[in-house]
Amino acid sequence: MNDIPLTLIEYYFKRDLERVSAIVFVGYSMYDIDVQKILKMDENFKNKTYFITRTNPSLETKFSLQRFGNVVPIGVEGFATLIKDNDKLIENQCKQHSLETLSLYELSANDIDVRDSDVEKMLMYGDFSSDIVDNYVLSHQTKPMLVIRDCVEEVHSLVKQAKNVILFGSLGNGKTVILHELKSFLTSQGFMVYELDDPDGDYIKDVEFLSNANSRTVVLLDDYELYLDLIEHVSRSDLDNIIIVSTARTADHDYLSEKLSGFGFEYVDINIDTLSSNELEDFSDVVDNLGLWKEKAGLSANQKIRHFKNQNESQVSLILISLLNSPNIKTKITALVGQLKSNEKYSRTVLAICLCKILDIKADKSIISEIAGNDSIYEPDFFNKQSFKNLFHIERGEVVSGSSVF
């Protein structure tokens, strides 16, 4: 342990605290100021923290510990007895496999009243809910708000043939959005679609469990280069009912294609960089509805599509860059970011989040804290700011920003 930097130990400690379902201290006095500081960083820690104390703790002990979690005054012996008396239950729970890292996607039953501001947030910042995508993919919404990519139906056809699929493209061209569309559409078509929630867990064990089911199972992997061990396992174990649909940036896919062949992994790859004429028409409708054409509003439908083709090479990223550079949008972004940039710690934290997105790093709080060199991401005063929530949101401890281009 002496050879491991303290900062690295702290990082793994914070990461573990974020992942576990319960934190139990046995015979611990909380005199360690550093541990106190870490536990106070995230308000969610308190609800899952338990202190096993002697049967009659002093008022001072109870008061000091209750600030950090729940006091359980049963003593070490009582705690041991509790475990012993429930050993059968614990053993049975261990035998019953519950998915640790994969979660089954379920279609939303909510009817969503989508406003123009919701569409603008989705287009500009990549901020959208699964409810919105479900409603649009299932044709419950008529407002132009999303481009259903042609490859969705192509992937559906391939999955029906039990073929693995890799969607690849350049930064910001919509790989993650396509996965959202696919999980809605494939689920509606009767497939069991699973998403990877926790990349630090035993996802191979989860896949082994799912392979024994009598169902058509699709596992979605965003940025497959992070899960090569899972792909290798599925390929070498010949898990017939597991179909992988994944994404990658073009450079990563080019580099790793030989390794995939070495695994014996058979797949169909689809480049998603270029929008078809039909997709460009749908994109133009979204821009029209939001009134973002400005001086080009008078162009005909065909002229707008030609503009996308000639000026933006029919790519989502280039279209978004041109929209983000419009005076109206730049003013809105400047106002939002300016509130956060006025504080140096907040500014460094926002930069750390953006770096994680660009570099395809899972932006959990612990890694953001390390990159930024401060603990602002754990402070409610920071992540509860409206300016922060307008740009990012937190899901299962990960800070999410949907738009790499932004």
Side-chain angles (χ1 to χ4, degrees):
M1 292 290 288
N2 292 335
D3 296 332
I4 303 176
L6 288 177
T7 53
L8 189 59
I9 295 174
E10 181 182 353
Y11 161 68
Y12 282 113
F13 182 50
K14 288 190 292 187
R15 190 191 67 172
D16 289 345
L17 292 181
E18 292 167 3
R19 291 183 56 223
V20 298
S21 58
I23 305 165
V24 181
F25 290 91
V26 180
Y28 190 74
S29 63
M30 286 300 294
Y31 285 139
D32 191 317
I33 300 299
D34 290 328
V35 174
Q36 287 188 31
K37 179 182 175 182
I38 291 173
L39 288 178
K40 289 173 69 176
M41 285 178 179
D42 194 323
E43 56 190 9
N44 295 318
F45 289 166
K46 182 176 181 179
N47 296 328
K48 62 179 181 180
T49 298
Y50 301 88
F51 296 97
I52 308 300
T53 69
R54 59 190 177 90
T55 53
N56 294 302
S58 65
L59 289 176
E60 180 183 359
T61 297
K62 290 179 64 176
F63 176 77
S64 62
L65 294 180
Q66 283 173 343
R67 292 180 297 153
F68 304 98
N70 307 281
V71 177
V72 185
I74 59 175
V76 176
E77 294 80 6
F79 185 51
T81 301
L82 184 65
I83 294 175
K84 184 177 180 181
D85 291 345
N86 291 276
D87 60 347
K88 294 295 183 183
L89 176 61
I90 295 171
E91 183 180 351
N92 289 335
Q93 287 181 335
C94 291
K95 289 180 179 179
Q96 296 174 358
H97 180 76
S98 58
L99 294 177
E100 180 180 335
T101 66
L102 297 174
S103 62
L104 177 66
Y105 186 72
E106 297 182 2
L107 290 169
S108 169
N110 301 325
D111 289 326
I112 305 298
D113 182 20
V114 180
R115 297 168 296 180
D116 286 346
S117 58
D118 296 321
V119 181
E120 185 175 286
K121 284 173 63 178
M122 179 171 60
L123 189 65
M124 296 295 99
Y125 316 130
D127 181 8
F128 56 90
S129 69
S130 295
D131 290 349
I132 289 178
V133 180
D134 285 350
N135 273 255
Y136 198 77
V137 169
L138 300 178
S139 301
H140 296 166
Q141 288 284 343
T142 57
K143 179 192 292 288
M145 53 170 286
L146 191 65
V147 177
I148 305 299
R149 299 295 299 270
D150 296 342
C151 63
V152 169
E153 185 56 56
E154 184 179 358
V155 172
H156 175 225
S157 176
L158 292 168
V159 167
K160 287 195 296 185
Q161 302 172 53
K163 294 183 178 180
N164 302 304
V165 180
I166 294 176
L167 304 163
F168 69 97
S170 301
L171 174 70
N173 275 339
K175 298 181 294 298
T176 301
V177 175
I178 293 174
L179 278 192
H180 277 274
E181 295 176 355
L182 280 169
K183 70 183 179 183
S184 297
F185 187 73
L186 292 177
T187 299
S188 72
Q189 299 301 309
F191 290 92
M192 306 296 285
V193 180
Y194 287 85
E195 302 174 274
L196 188 60
D197 282 340
D198 185 359
D200 293 319
D202 191 350
Y203 41 74
I204 289 180
K205 184 177 180 181
D206 283 357
V207 167
E208 281 285 351
F209 175 76
L210 294 175
S211 69
N212 295 319
N214 295 318
S215 59
R216 300 180 296 173
T217 299
V218 178
V219 177
L220 302 181
L221 299 177
D222 202 3
D223 300 322
Y224 79 76
E225 68 273 9
L226 302 175
Y227 314 107
L228 290 175
D229 53 342
L230 173 59
I231 292 176
E232 180 178 15
H233 179 78
V234 170
S235 182
R236 296 192 189 282
S237 301
D238 197 22
L239 305 181
D240 293 334
N241 71 317
I242 302 295
I243 303 164
I244 293 179
V245 176
S246 59
T247 69
R249 292 183 182 173
T250 301
D252 291 326
H253 182 51
D254 288 345
Y255 176 74
L256 292 170
S257 57
E258 187 174 339
K259 180 168 287 190
L260 295 178
S261 298
F263 296 161
F265 183 64
E266 297 182 356
Y267 61 90
V268 175
D269 58 8
I270 301 172
N271 187 301
I272 56 88
D273 279 333
T274 305
L275 296 173
S276 68
S277 294
N278 289 334
E279 292 169 337
L280 288 173
E281 184 177 350
D282 291 341
F283 208 128
S284 179
D285 289 340
V286 176
V287 177
D288 269 336
N289 182 64
L290 294 177
L292 296 177
W293 278 110
K294 298 304 178 183
E295 70 276 2
K296 297 182 180 65
L299 297 177
S300 67
N302 287 334
Q303 287 174 325
K304 289 173 180 177
I305 292 174
R306 283 201 299 272
H307 174 80
F308 282 151
K309 289 181 178 179
N310 298 331
Q311 301 301 317
N312 306 128
E313 300 178 20
S314 300
Q315 294 192 33
V316 173
S317 59
L318 298 180
I319 295 172
L320 291 179
I321 287 173
S322 64
L323 293 176
L324 287 169
N325 276 327
S326 69
N328 181 40
I329 299 299
K330 286 176 73 174
T331 299
K332 291 183 179 182
I333 294 173
T334 300
L336 287 173
V337 177
Q339 298 173 32
L340 299 174
K341 289 182 67 177
S342 60
N343 182 306
E344 183 180 354
K345 288 170 56 180
Y346 293 174
S347 179
R348 290 177 63 87
T349 302
V350 169
L351 178 60
I353 295 169
C354 293
L355 283 172
C356 287
K357 186 65 180 176
I358 295 297
L359 298 174
D360 273 345
I361 299 172
K362 181 180 170 65
D364 57 33
K365 291 181 178 180
S366 48
I367 192 65
I368 291 170
S369 174
E370 290 302 305
I371 294 173
N374 64 67
D375 297 320
S376 295
I377 192 61
Y378 291 100
E379 299 173 7
D381 286 345
F382 173 61
F383 60 73
N384 285 330
K385 283 183 176 294
Q386 191 59 45
S387 52
F388 178 89
K389 292 194 287 187
N390 284 337
L391 302 175
F392 311 106
H393 59 280
I394 299 176
E395 295 180 358
R396 297 182 292 273
E398 179 183 359
V399 180
V400 178
S401 167
S403 173
S404 299
V405 172
F406 168 77

